[in-house]
Amino acid sequence: MVASAVRIEELQRISAAVRSRSLRMVHSAKTGHPGGDLSSTDILVSLYFGAMRAGGTWTNAEDRDRFVMSKGHCSGAFYATLAQAGCFPAEWLDSYMQPMSMLNGHPDRNKLPGVEANTGPLGHGMPIATGMALAAKISGAAWRTFVLTGDGELQEGSNWEAAMTAAHYGLDNLTLIVDRNRIQQGAWTEDTIRLEPLADKWRAFGWAVHEVDGHDHAALVELFHRLPLEPGKPNCVIAHTHKGQGVSFMMDRPEWHHKVPSDTELEAALKELQS
């Protein structure tokens, strides 16, 4: 599929809206993870509005595609995307992380439409998604499973147990997207526990791997429409991104993993995103 210029412009507009809304949510709640929200937004938007059968009338359909937000701490961008996709009313976003809100800091499938799995403890999403994809294979279902992880999250061993399982069962209906922004809480990933050569590691585990600019909607949409990358192998998409993408003073700054913008910073960030 070759995405049209008009379609890409619409995805860019949606991404800007998601980034702006997620920042306002974090600012209002006085807590959150804005850096990762901003790095993952273009991936989320490309999936929900360019590739998956999900959201809107697909939200509860049996043959919908499944998406697992393994990096559940970046719930601001995830919730804003779900609202844009019609999973629930946009005004619900105003209750983000408030007492008794359905919009917890970490997604809860028992509370919010469109959430497929409870996530937050890192390393859980990949095993859940692997089980989903295996269930689809066993039942002969055509729906696909996508899972988004952080790169620092890959330091959790449960991901690699799931990786072996997915390759063993030939789950080419499973797609892992790694938000490769190279920053985790407090430091750069390579200064914490080195991940590189990351692509080679996934290939060694029996996965088909493709690296892509995680902020290029056209490249992301075209890639998602080419899946599976290799029949009989699960798909690993390493999406190269920037923490704090779209806001100059947040980009590639480790402190914005969980820093909350002040009133002045929020105003400046929204002005950049709307320009």
Side-chain angles (χ1 to χ4, degrees):
M1 175 184 178
V2 178
S4 71
V6 172
R7 182 63 175 150
I8 295 307
E9 185 176 335
E10 175 66 6
L11 295 179
Q12 292 168 344
R13 184 196 65 77
I14 296 171
S15 285
V18 167
R19 284 191 169 95
S20 296
R21 191 59 185 263
S22 66
L23 282 177
R24 290 199 298 270
M25 290 159 61
V26 169
H27 176 263
S28 177
K30 306 303 181 191
T31 185
H33 295 81
D37 283 336
L38 299 184
S39 70
S40 61
T41 293
D42 297 320
I43 299 166
L44 292 168
V45 169
S46 295
L47 282 169
Y48 275 88
F49 296 92
M52 292 196 307
R53 301 184 300 269
T57 59
W58 289 99
T59 301
N60 297 308
E62 183 62 31
D63 56 347
R64 70 190 182 279
D65 290 329
R66 272 63 167 178
F67 173 78
V68 177
M69 184 68 167
S70 190
K71 50 179 298 180
H73 56 286
C74 293
S75 56
F78 183 39
Y79 294 156
T81 301
L82 290 179
Q84 283 276 344
C87 294
F88 55 82
E91 53 265 28
W92 290 11
L93 298 174
D94 295 335
S95 70
Y96 181 58
M97 289 207 215
Q98 300 303 314
M100 308 304 292
S101 172
M102 293 183 292
L103 282 73
N104 293 354
H106 292 154
D108 186 336
R109 70 181 303 273
N110 299 301
K111 293 186 176 183
L112 200 63
V115 175
E116 298 284 357
N118 293 21
T119 55
L122 297 178
H124 287 194
M126 255 290 285
I128 293 170
T130 299
M132 289 177 172
L134 181 57
K137 280 286 188 182
I138 291 172
S139 65
W143 52 264
R144 302 163 298 167
T145 301
F146 297 83
V147 53
L148 178 62
T149 70
D151 47 5
E153 181 179 359
L154 297 181
Q155 295 158 1
E156 300 283 354
S158 51
N159 291 297
W160 301 100
E161 295 176 37
M164 287 189 290
T165 301
H168 176 78
Y169 287 105
L171 301 182
D172 55 5
N173 60 340
L174 172 64
T175 300
L176 161 71
I177 304 110
V178 180
D179 183 2
R180 187 70 171 112
N181 60 39
R182 291 177 169 73
I183 297 174
Q184 60 190 98
Q185 182 171 337
W188 295 83
T189 58
E190 305 309 285
D191 294 333
T192 306
I193 297 181
R194 186 171 61 252
L195 294 173
E196 294 298 337
L198 187 56
D200 290 344
K201 289 175 181 176
W202 284 101
R203 292 188 182 101
F205 272 72
W207 287 55
V209 180
H210 188 92
E211 300 188 59
V212 67
D213 180 346
H215 300 306
D216 185 334
H217 295 91
L220 287 165
V221 170
E222 290 175 15
L223 173 59
F224 293 146
H225 280 271
R226 285 199 285 115
L227 299 174
L229 297 171
E230 295 181 39
K233 289 186 177 183
N235 310 285
C236 174
V237 175
I238 299 176
H240 295 281
T241 63
H242 294 278
K243 203 96 164 182
Q245 172 71 14
V247 180
S248 58
F249 59 86
M250 294 184 180
M251 281 183 62
D252 300 327
R253 299 288 296 273
E255 65 267 29
W256 283 103
H257 178 82
H258 51 52
K259 183 180 176 181
V260 176
S262 66
D263 293 350
T264 301
E265 288 169 333
L266 177 65
E267 182 181 358
L270 295 177
K271 185 175 180 179
E272 277 197 53
L273 291 171
Q274 293 162 6
S275 62

